[in-house]
Amino acid sequence: DLTANPDRSAQGTVIEARQEKGLGTVATTLIQRGTLRIGDPFIAGGSSGKVRMLMNDKGQRLEEAGPSVPVQVIGMDGVPAAGDMLLVGDDETVLRSLADARNKISMEKKSAAFDTDLRKQMAALIESGGTIDMSREMREVNVLIKADVQGSVEALKNSLEAMISEDEICQVKVKVLQSGIGDVTKSDVSIAAVSNAWVIAFNVAANMQAMDEARTRDIEIGYYSVVYDMLEEMEGRMQEVLSPTPDGEYSGKAEVKMLFDIGKVGKVAGCACVDGDIIKAGNVRVLRGAKIVFEGRIKTLKHLKEDVQTINSGMECGMNFFDWEEMEEGDVVECYTMSK
């Protein structure tokens, strides 16, 4: 028979935290010891405050919450992380000072982690003889994350920072410039504009000022509610950085419908032009889903049995490429032509 003392200062664990309009930070917390009441000063991670409102899971207001009761706490000045301990104290000023000290320590730890990583890179450079392999270029995709709850922010950040796209000459990684909870604001868009970053809004919106700023400064805001969709989009963006769009203006695309193996000619892709024009003299790239699998030139372009220079939208054709025969059904061929 497990029991907890309700007649003491409250202690609990933050399950998740989010920001809501008109309420500020709302932290879902499980009270483990004591009783939390309206007006209690408290600290939770690097945030502090005084309880302004308590609500249960149905949105009903409570005057207090005892042991084993999950409750939504409103009144803190920041956004705690999932797993942070909520503790009630007597002096609000002392608690605020403690929260500031925790934030300072957190920043110092991040700085120390950066320094450690930098030292490891320098040590690896020295061990390799002090030379840098200039044949392998490092590129980054800058992003700014806004989400509805802190747990989503951390999950998105960890997933994105683990993504890597590379080939024999280049490696692309994701750099999270800033992350937080709540709607996308004008300042978020300004930061993205300065850093040429992509703004990810996960289960949140952008306020009017942010949307106006994004239109003015040509910043894209991606709205998502499914993590997989966002990661798939990011994979495509990383592939675009790894293998940029071929030189020239986009002229059209075709989809590979069937494959044929024709003796000395080799493998030929039977395609349908689904947009614009496919021009034999143009540059092409072949996409398999979000991944770019080939960039080069068309070797042969035929309509029925005749060699042609152009295939228009709605027409079918056969094509193969210089030095590449790894086509698959479903691949998309994009064509780009140089402006005169």
Side-chain angles (χ1 to χ4, degrees):
D1 184 18
L2 300 176
T3 60
N5 179 15
D7 301 319
R8 53 158 289 176
S9 298
Q11 176 182 325
T13 301
V14 176
I15 307 302
E16 69 172 19
R18 64 186 186 278
Q19 284 190 328
E20 292 190 7
K21 291 181 179 179
L23 295 177
T25 301
V26 179
T28 301
T29 306
L30 178 63
I31 305 302
Q32 296 167 305
R33 299 184 181 88
T35 301
L36 184 65
R37 299 180 175 85
I38 301 292
D40 284 348
F42 65 89
I43 184 172
S47 304
S48 64
K50 182 181 289 187
V51 179
R52 290 195 292 111
M53 188 187 305
L54 296 173
M55 295 189 299
N56 62 17
D57 59 336
K58 297 182 177 67
Q60 300 168 336
R61 293 195 180 192
L62 304 174
E63 291 297 322
E64 61 181 33
S68 78
V69 176
V71 64
Q72 298 183 74
V73 181
I74 299 163
M76 56 187 66
D77 59 6
V79 183
D84 281 347
M85 188 69 69
L86 184 147
L87 296 169
V88 171
D90 297 324
D91 192 326
E92 189 175 358
T93 303
V94 173
L95 294 176
R96 189 180 301 113
S97 298
L98 178 58
D100 292 341
R102 286 180 173 180
N103 286 326
K104 183 178 180 181
I105 292 172
S106 177
M107 293 179 63
E108 290 174 349
K109 285 183 177 180
K110 290 179 181 178
S111 177
F114 175 81
D115 290 343
T116 300
D117 185 58
L118 183 60
R119 289 193 185 98
K120 288 181 179 179
Q121 292 181 22
M122 293 302 297
L125 179 62
I126 293 172
E127 289 177 2
S128 65
T131 60
I132 300 175
D133 183 8
M134 297 302 293
S135 65
R136 194 173 180 84
E137 183 183 357
M138 301 298 295
R139 299 175 185 172
E140 291 179 332
V141 178
N142 295 330
V143 299
L144 188 150
I145 301 172
K146 296 299 290 285
D148 54 342
V149 296
Q150 188 66 30
S152 295
V153 170
E154 294 301 324
L156 293 172
K157 185 177 179 181
N158 292 337
S159 297
L160 289 170
E161 290 181 340
M163 296 180 72
I164 296 177
S165 290
E166 58 186 346
D167 57 20
E168 63 277 4
I169 61 172
C170 181
Q171 185 179 79
V172 181
K173 293 184 177 181
V174 178
K175 182 177 182 180
V176 179
L177 299 177
Q178 183 171 300
S179 61
I181 66 172
D183 290 347
V184 179
T185 64
K186 183 178 178 179
S187 62
D188 294 329
V189 176
S190 297
I191 293 172
V194 171
S195 309
N196 191 27
W198 176 38
V199 180
I200 297 173
F202 189 80
N203 283 334
V204 295
N207 60 37
M208 290 300 296
Q209 292 85 354
M211 289 190 288
D212 290 341
E213 185 75 3
R215 281 192 291 268
T216 301
R217 308 187 71 164
D218 195 25
I219 296 298
E220 183 180 357
I221 302 175
Y223 300 93
Y224 301 93
S225 58
V226 179
V227 174
Y228 176 79
D229 292 341
M230 184 276 296
L231 295 178
E232 189 175 40
E233 173 70 17
M234 176 54 73
E235 183 178 356
R237 288 174 178 267
M238 294 174 73
Q239 284 292 329
E240 179 65 32
V241 173
L242 190 67
S243 300
T245 301
D247 292 336
E249 296 181 358
Y250 170 81
S251 65
K253 66 180 177 181
E255 184 176 342
V256 178
K257 299 295 185 180
M258 297 183 67
L259 296 172
F260 306 93
D261 199 343
I262 305 177
K264 295 181 180 180
V265 176
K267 188 179 289 187
V268 175
C271 304
C273 184
V274 295
D275 180 48
D277 302 321
I278 300 297
I279 301 172
K280 183 179 178 181
N283 299 314
V284 297
R285 68 177 180 180
V286 180
L287 294 90
R288 188 166 298 151
K291 186 176 182 180
I292 300 169
V293 294
F294 172 73
E295 289 182 290
R297 304 290 296 273
I298 296 174
K299 183 178 181 180
T300 305
L301 184 64
K302 289 180 177 287
H303 178 60
L304 300 178
K305 294 184 178 181
E306 297 183 2
D307 288 314
V308 295
Q309 297 299 314
T310 303
I311 293 293
N312 305 120
S313 180
M315 297 175 63
E316 295 183 341
C317 64
M319 70 175 81
N320 62 0
F321 309 95
F322 286 104
D323 304 319
W324 190 71
E325 292 188 345
E326 305 302 320
M327 305 86 80
E328 293 182 5
E329 292 183 15
D331 286 350
V332 174
V333 181
E334 291 184 348
C335 184
Y336 296 81
T337 57
M338 299 299 293
S339 301
K340 293 183 179 181

